[in-house]
Amino acid sequence: MKNVTDSFVSLGHWPSAGSFGFNTDILATNPINLSLVLGVLIFFGKGVLSDLLDNRKERILNTIRNSEELREGAVEQLEKARTRLQKIEIEADQFRVNGYSEIEREKLNLINSTYKTLEQLENYKNETIHFEQQRAINQVRQRIFHQALEGALGTLNRCLTNELHLRTISANIGMFGAMKGIID
């Protein structure tokens, strides 16, 4: 502070008329120059600086307002998204439950269909077995009948003599004649 007062005091010792000179004392001239520059800046720059600060303040406030509006919009969108997510989760659960019940229904239908098909196959198998048994029985009967017939014919041919043959023919003719008389 003493340097500042000394520089003002030294201003009074300058010669007022006649000569112009430079003060080479840096410590004495810097505070004066700085105070003059600051004074001029404060006086003339006060309005510009306050305008700059006011503009900056308005931009910051506008940015904050915009951020608040964006935040509110984001919160609304988040709430809508949450609501939509809950709806989708409920629908997904319903689809899942319906899907499981549909799967169970299809499974039961498939089991029932398979059971019915197996029953039909079992019936066809039993019918085929019965048919084959009947066919085998008929074949055996035919063979037995054929063998019995051959045996009977063989026995008849061996036992039948001409005389017995003639008597049998006569007896049969007599029976046919008697039958013809009854019919007429």
Side-chain angles (χ1 to χ4, degrees):
M1 193 64 150
K2 186 175 180 199
N3 287 340
V4 174
T5 54
D6 287 341
S7 50
F8 285 117
V9 172
S10 67
L11 279 177
H13 296 313
W14 280 8
S16 56
S19 78
F20 177 76
F22 288 107
N23 187 356
T24 57
D25 185 11
I26 293 176
L27 293 176
T29 57
N30 265 347
I32 294 171
N33 291 337
L34 284 175
S35 61
L36 281 174
V37 169
L38 284 176
V40 169
L41 282 176
I42 290 173
F43 182 75
F44 291 109
K46 181 179 176 185
V48 173
L49 185 61
S50 70
D51 286 344
L52 286 174
L53 290 176
D54 287 342
N55 288 341
R56 179 71 178 151
K57 180 181 173 183
E58 282 299 315
R59 279 188 282 165
I60 290 172
L61 288 175
N62 286 337
T63 304
I64 290 172
R65 276 189 224 116
N66 289 340
S67 297
E68 284 294 319
E69 290 173 3
L70 290 174
R71 187 188 70 80
E72 288 173 6
V75 167
E76 285 180 25
Q77 288 180 351
L78 179 64
E79 288 302 317
K80 287 179 184 177
R82 283 184 182 158
T83 305
R84 199 162 160 239
L85 177 65
Q86 288 174 347
K87 282 183 182 178
I88 290 172
E89 285 177 345
I90 290 170
E91 288 177 6
D93 288 340
Q94 288 174 348
F95 283 135
R96 197 174 300 121
V97 168
N98 290 341
Y100 288 142
S101 62
E102 184 68 26
I103 288 171
E104 287 297 319
R105 209 173 309 123
E106 288 296 323
K107 183 174 126 181
L108 288 174
N109 288 342
L110 183 63
I111 289 171
N112 289 337
S113 172
T114 305
Y115 181 73
K116 287 178 184 177
T117 304
L118 286 175
E119 279 183 352
Q120 288 175 349
L121 289 174
E122 185 70 24
N123 289 339
Y124 291 150
K125 179 189 83 166
N126 290 338
E127 287 175 9
T128 304
I129 289 172
H130 182 69
F131 175 74
E132 290 296 323
Q133 284 175 343
Q134 289 298 322
R135 195 173 87 180
I137 289 171
N138 287 337
Q139 285 177 353
V140 169
R141 282 182 185 165
Q142 285 178 357
R143 282 187 191 155
I144 291 173
F145 178 73
H146 186 63
Q147 287 175 356
L149 189 60
E150 284 179 3
L153 285 175
T155 305
L156 276 175
N157 284 334
R158 272 183 284 138
C159 295
L160 190 61
T161 60
N162 281 337
E163 183 187 325
L164 186 60
H165 189 72
L166 287 175
R167 269 192 311 174
T168 305
I169 292 175
S170 297
N172 285 335
I173 290 174
M175 271 190 345
F176 285 130
M179 286 169 70
K180 187 178 180 190
I182 294 174
I183 293 175
D184 290 334

